[in-house]
């Protein structure tokens, strides 16, 4: 049943591919770009054109969501504790609750709009030959399908519209938050642009690493909040003060956090569903953290900072879930660097403005491990191939870890060969365990650390 659905879906993709094939040849300028040129050998084999030809006679190509019902079902299980905290566990002011719920409603609408936009955007990106081959299906018919790339652009646009419209319902015109909120949106928007530029132009690695520091400029320049940090209690006696003003170093730290969050999501990737899946898990943990902080705090400024964070994370989560329903195994679309950069930047921005960057970094534990494992290759000490993905065996359908230093490969080496889907689930469970560990750590350290 599931297999036939997958096959049906592939047929639809093939329809899109065949229709766009002729236009694709004409658009050769784009064709040479990264997706087509740099990925895999030219695809056509005997079986593929056959599928395309038979499907080409059908009407307008349509990419249907593969698993929206599953996504809605699983995410509702996770949303239950969130709603419980908002409505029952904590006594949150009605005004604040109202804003959060308005934002949630807009985000919910964003979810459906993204669901509708992705198939449309897929047709357009395929027309411009912005596609990739699924490397972990190489050697099977699925490996020959041109998968539309950079669908993060649709997600980013819906996110921005939701976040911009929300201001109408929440902020008064003289609100101080308005400046930082819009600066945050400018940074996210700039990041989406640069991510898309990277997807289209395939920017070299070392340049690409720096793109987020450029995109973070609007936020860094507009940031008028405090630049102080609270010294952990055990260190106060050595430093001699409880609060330390870091001045410009604080802004440098903000910029570095943006660079880390974006790139670390981007390099923990390459498995169907992993880029979006990790974002969804972290975003969900951020939401829970924010609501716990709002519930536990009596300081209006702290509450406002965490509410601000919720206003950006809810739309991120909703639009990402829509993308996940297309990107989950077997992926019908790829997210592109547009998405990884956009998601990383949004989470960095909320961590910075919500003043919980340490917690955010612990949520990013798997990404930190992946980054440390990657360092020798990123630094050029060990050769770094264009793709550091596992080896796929078309016979068994299983992935084997290679020597490339990534968490994906190390997990395969530790837990043994497995299918792409089960590897993605394993990595997402690890991500979830990391987030739970963070909550546990915060609980243990409260009162002792800060
Ligand atoms: C980063 C990683 C690279 C990894 C790639 C996968 C580093 C330094 N770079 O590069 O090792 O291979 O992400 O995204 O760690 N793809 C799949 N299946 C997927 C997702 C992507 O096969 O589920 C392939 C497709 O061919 C797709 C391409 O990866 O077109 C996208 O790669 P891109 O995002 O451009 O790679 P980088 O971010 O540069
Ligand atoms: Mg990428």
């Amino acid at each position: 049943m599931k297999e036939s659905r997958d096959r049906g879906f592939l047929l639809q993709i093939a329809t899109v591919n065949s229709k766009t094939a002729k236009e694709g040849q004409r658009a050769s300028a784009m064709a040479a770009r990264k997706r087509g040129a740099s990925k895999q050998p030219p695809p056509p084999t005997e079986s593929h054109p056959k599928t395309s030809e038979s499907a080409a006679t059908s009407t307008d190509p349509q990419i249907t969501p593969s698993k929206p019902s599953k996504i809605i079902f699983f995410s509702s299980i996770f949303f239950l504790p969130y709603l419980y905290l908002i409505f029952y566990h904590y006594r949150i002011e009605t005004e604040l609750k109202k804003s959060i719920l308005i934002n949630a409603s807009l985000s919910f609408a964003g979810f459906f709009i993204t669901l509708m936009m992705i198939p449309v955007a897929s047709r357009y990106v395929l027309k411009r030959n912005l596609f990739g081959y699924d490397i972990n299906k190489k050697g099977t018919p699925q490996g020959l399908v041109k998968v539309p790339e950079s669908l993060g652009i649709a997600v980013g646009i819906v996110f921005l519209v939701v976040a911009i419209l929300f201001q109408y319902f929440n902020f008064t015109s003289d609100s101080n938050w308005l400046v930082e909120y819009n600066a945050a949106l400018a940074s996210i928007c700039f990041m989406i642009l640069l991510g898309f530029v990277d997807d289209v132009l395939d920017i070299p690695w070392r340049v690409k690493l720096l793109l987020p520091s450029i995109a973070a400029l609007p936020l860094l320049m507009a940031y008028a909040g405090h630049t102080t940090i609270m010294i952990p209690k055990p260190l106060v006696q050595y430093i001699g003060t409880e609060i330390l003003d870091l001045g410009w170093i604080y802004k440098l730290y903000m910029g570095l956090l943006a660079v880390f969050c974006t790139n670390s999501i981007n390099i923990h990737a390459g498995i169907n569903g992993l880029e979006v899946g990790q974002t969804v898990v972290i975003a969900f943990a951020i939401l829970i953290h924010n609501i716990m902080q709002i519930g536990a705090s009596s300081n209006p400024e702290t509450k406002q900072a965490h509410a601000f964070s919720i206003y950006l994370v809810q739309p991120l989560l909703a639009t990402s879930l829509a993308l996940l329903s297309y990107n989950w195994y077997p992926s019908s679309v790829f997210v592109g660097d547009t998405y990884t950069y956009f998601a990383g930047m949004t989470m960095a921005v909320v961590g910075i403005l919500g003043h919980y960057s340490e917690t955010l970094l612990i949520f990013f534990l798997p990404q930190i491990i992946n980054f440390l494992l990657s360092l020798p290759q990123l630094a050029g000490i060990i050769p770094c191939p264009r793709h550091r993905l596992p080896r796929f065996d078309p016979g068994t359908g299983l992935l084997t870890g290679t020597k490339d230093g990534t968490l994906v490969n190390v997990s395969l080496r530790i837990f043994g060969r497995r299918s792409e889907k089960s590897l993605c689930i394993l990595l997402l469970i690890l991500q979830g365990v990391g987030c739970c560990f963070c909550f546990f750590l915060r609980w243990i350290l409260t009162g002792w650390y800060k």
Side-chain angles (χ1 to χ4, degrees):
M1 174 73 179
K2 193 191 106 9
E3 296 229 324
S4 72
R5 259 208 321 273
D6 293 348
R7 234 176 288 133
F9 165 74
L10 283 173
L11 264 178
Q12 284 170 333
I13 290 281
T15 315
V16 177
N17 290 339
S18 73
K19 189 172 179 200
T20 52
K22 288 179 205 126
E23 293 151 33
Q25 282 159 8
R26 282 200 300 274
S28 54
M30 291 288 263
R33 298 216 169 110
K34 71 189 252 187
R35 306 293 151 214
S38 69
K39 298 282 142 65
Q40 282 191 2
T45 62
E46 274 161 29
S47 63
H48 182 55
K50 227 181 196 173
T51 318
S52 310
E53 267 165 36
S54 55
T57 53
S58 70
T59 50
D60 238 9
Q62 272 211 338
I63 298 174
T64 50
S66 332
K67 325 75 195 163
S69 47
K70 267 189 202 167
I71 298 290
I72 291 176
F73 174 72
F74 277 107
S75 50
S76 59
I77 294 176
F78 290 109
F79 276 118
L80 287 179
Y82 178 58
L83 294 176
Y84 170 78
L85 291 180
I86 296 181
F87 287 108
Y88 296 105
H89 194 73
Y90 295 116
R91 298 179 71 184
I92 299 170
E93 294 89 330
T94 320
E95 273 300 295
L96 192 52
K97 219 184 307 193
K98 204 168 123 193
S99 290
I100 292 175
L101 291 180
I102 291 175
N103 183 275
S105 313
L106 286 173
S107 305
F108 196 55
F111 171 80
F112 288 105
I113 295 170
T114 313
L115 271 186
M116 287 189 291
M117 268 184 69
I118 289 177
V120 179
S122 299
R123 283 202 289 276
Y124 279 93
V125 293
L126 277 178
K127 265 188 199 168
R128 304 305 293 171
N129 267 9
L130 208 54
F131 62 84
Y133 292 110
D134 204 325
I135 299 171
N136 295 315
K137 318 243 179 340
K138 198 175 177 179
T140 69
Q142 281 172 297
L144 301 173
V145 175
K146 291 176 180 176
V147 184
E149 182 62 275
S150 301
L151 266 299
I153 192 73
V155 176
I157 291 170
V158 177
F159 168 89
L160 284 174
V161 171
V162 168
I164 291 167
L165 285 182
F166 174 67
Q167 296 175 81
Y168 179 77
F169 298 99
N170 187 55
F171 300 109
T172 51
S173 56
D174 61 347
S175 168
N176 286 339
W177 277 99
L178 207 57
V179 177
E180 283 186 356
Y181 187 77
N182 278 289
L185 290 187
S187 280
I188 295 169
C189 186
F190 202 176
M191 193 70 267
I192 294 172
L193 168 71
L194 292 178
F196 196 62
V197 166
D198 175 38
D199 277 334
V200 174
L201 303 182
D202 205 8
I203 292 169
W205 244 100
R206 283 178 182 78
V207 180
K208 191 162 147 159
L209 279 174
L210 294 174
L211 294 182
S213 56
I214 302 171
L217 283 177
L219 179 64
L220 299 188
M221 295 302 114
Y223 182 77
H226 60 71
T227 50
T228 53
I229 53 163
M230 276 179 71
I231 303 295
K233 280 179 186 161
L235 298 180
V236 169
Q237 50 176 321
Y238 303 108
I239 297 180
T241 172
E242 279 184 11
I243 292 177
L244 186 66
D245 191 357
L246 291 180
W248 64 269
I249 297 177
Y250 190 84
K251 290 205 175 190
L252 181 68
Y253 168 69
M254 283 159 60
L256 290 177
L257 191 71
V259 172
F260 174 76
C261 289
T262 46
N263 284 298
S264 66
I265 297 264
N266 187 40
I267 64 171
H268 187 37
I271 302 291
N272 286 185
L274 184 57
E275 288 103 320
V276 198
Q278 62 185 303
T279 305
V280 164
V281 175
I282 301 173
F284 184 75
I286 292 177
L287 276 188
I288 298 281
H289 170 67
N290 283 321
I291 216 72
M292 284 168 75
Q293 292 303 305
I294 290 176
S297 165
S298 53
N299 180 348
E301 216 178 294
T302 310
K303 284 184 185 216
Q304 184 63 269
H306 287 285
F308 172 96
S309 184
I310 289 181
Y311 303 151
L312 290 177
V313 174
Q314 283 187 157
L316 171 71
L317 187 53
T319 50
S320 296
L321 283 170
L323 180 59
L324 189 59
S325 82
Y326 292 91
N327 184 246
W328 188 252
Y329 181 91
S331 290
S332 45
V333 302
F334 285 149
V335 302
D337 291 351
T338 315
Y339 178 79
T340 51
Y341 281 171
F342 149 70
M345 181 58 94
T346 308
M347 292 191 279
V349 159
V350 298
I352 290 166
L353 294 179
H355 302 290
Y356 56 89
S357 58
E358 286 158 308
T359 303
L360 183 75
L361 282 175
I362 308 179
F363 287 151
F364 271 68
L365 205 58
Q367 286 71 16
I368 293 178
I369 296 171
N370 186 54
F371 173 71
L372 294 176
L373 290 168
S374 302
L375 260 181
Q377 286 187 310
L378 293 182
I381 301 167
I382 299 175
C384 183
R386 172 69 182 85
H387 287 287
R388 303 185 302 149
L389 295 180
R391 204 175 18 261
F392 175 67
D393 177 2
T396 59
L398 298 180
L399 296 171
T400 314
T402 61
K403 284 208 170 97
D404 289 318
T406 64
L407 189 56
V408 168
N409 285 316
V410 170
S411 306
L412 282 170
R413 276 187 258 147
I414 295 175
F415 298 104
R417 304 167 70 209
R418 54 185 59 231
S419 69
E420 187 176 7
K421 185 176 171 184
S422 100
L423 176 63
C424 181
I425 293 173
L426 174 75
L427 290 168
L428 295 184
I429 290 174
L430 285 180
Q431 187 84 53
V433 169
C435 293
C436 292
F437 170 71
C438 177
F439 285 117
F440 176 69
L441 208 62
R442 282 191 63 95
W443 180 66
I444 293 272
L445 295 182
T446 303
W448 176 80
Y449 182 69
K450 274 191 178 170

